Structures are given as C-alpha cells and as structure tokens.
Amino acid sequence: MQDHQAGQGPAPQLPERLHAVGPGWHPLLLRLHTQLSALQEDYQVDDVNERLGGLRVRITVPQPQCAEAEDLIHAAEERSGTTCEFCGATGRRRRRHDALYGWIKTVCDPCHVEWSRAPT
C-alpha cells in the first residue's frame, strides 16, 4: 500500500480512478465509492485495475481491519465477473475469438464480437 503524502491535495478515491478500467465497470466503482464513503469518509485508493477479466480494488482506510469495507470490495469484484467491462451489460469472462490463450476480459456477446474484430 502506498502512503499519501501531506501537501499533495486530497488522497485519491474511486471517482478519480475510473479511467483505470472500462466504462461498463464505472457504475460498480461509483456504487462502491458511495458505500465506502459511508463507512470511511477518508478512505484512499491504492490501486484499481483489471486482472484476469475481473476488477481489483485496493484501498487504505484510516480504521484498520475494516471487515465491512473488505466485504464491499469483494462484492464489487465478484459483480465485475458478470458485468461487461465495455458496456455494463451482463457478460462473462472470455478471450478474443474465444481463443485458448490471450487476454481475458468480462464482456457481453455484442461487445465480444466488436472486441474480437479490433486489431490486437
């Protein structure tokens, strides 16, 4: 986890990190932000990314071992596994062209077709 240094402005929270993942997951992150803010107003985002077709969120909270925050993050990460990263529709983890190897994303059928057409 990274420490936010004093004098550099407010610590980053989820709305400032939406660019790290596709727009289909933005509602998941914004909902998670609302939930986390209700628990820990001054939580800090350490990392937001996509890994193996799923959302990964790492935060620092002032109150150590906040199990409820961990549960909320886990639930959002789980939902990302059935939410298209591109459009937010119901999706599943797939590779381009349903190949045996390659990058995995959670996509719906229409976005999978478009993603498979795009140059690699």
Side-chain angles (χ1 to χ4, degrees):
M1 289 188 194
Q2 301 170 348
D3 290 334
H4 182 72
Q5 300 203 359
Q8 293 184 352
Q13 293 191 333
L14 289 170
E16 290 81 37
R17 297 300 304 273
L18 293 178
H19 66 276
V21 297
W25 287 351
H26 292 180
L28 291 175
L29 289 174
L30 292 171
R31 182 176 330 129
L32 179 58
H33 168 69
T34 299
Q35 294 167 328
L36 289 173
S37 293
L39 288 177
Q40 296 281 313
E41 230 176 50
D42 49 353
Y43 79 89
Q44 174 183 327
V45 172
D46 297 317
D47 191 31
V48 174
N49 62 36
E50 178 273 334
R51 182 170 167 85
L52 299 174
L55 178 64
R56 298 294 177 263
V57 177
R58 301 294 171 256
I59 67 165
T60 300
V61 292
Q63 181 183 29
Q65 301 176 351
C66 183
E68 193 171 353
E70 291 175 18
D71 291 344
L72 292 170
I73 291 168
H74 180 73
E77 290 175 342
E78 286 291 314
R79 277 192 302 278
S80 74
T82 58
T83 303
C84 179
E85 186 177 356
F86 296 120
C87 74
T90 300
R92 61 187 171 103
R93 289 185 169 113
R94 300 173 80 173
R95 291 182 170 93
R96 285 181 196 245
H97 309 286
D98 289 320
L100 294 176
Y101 301 98
W103 199 264
I104 300 170
K105 284 207 169 284
T106 299
V107 293
C108 64
D109 289 338
C111 289
H112 181 258
V113 169
E114 290 302 313
W115 181 51
S116 293
R117 283 187 197 153
T120 54

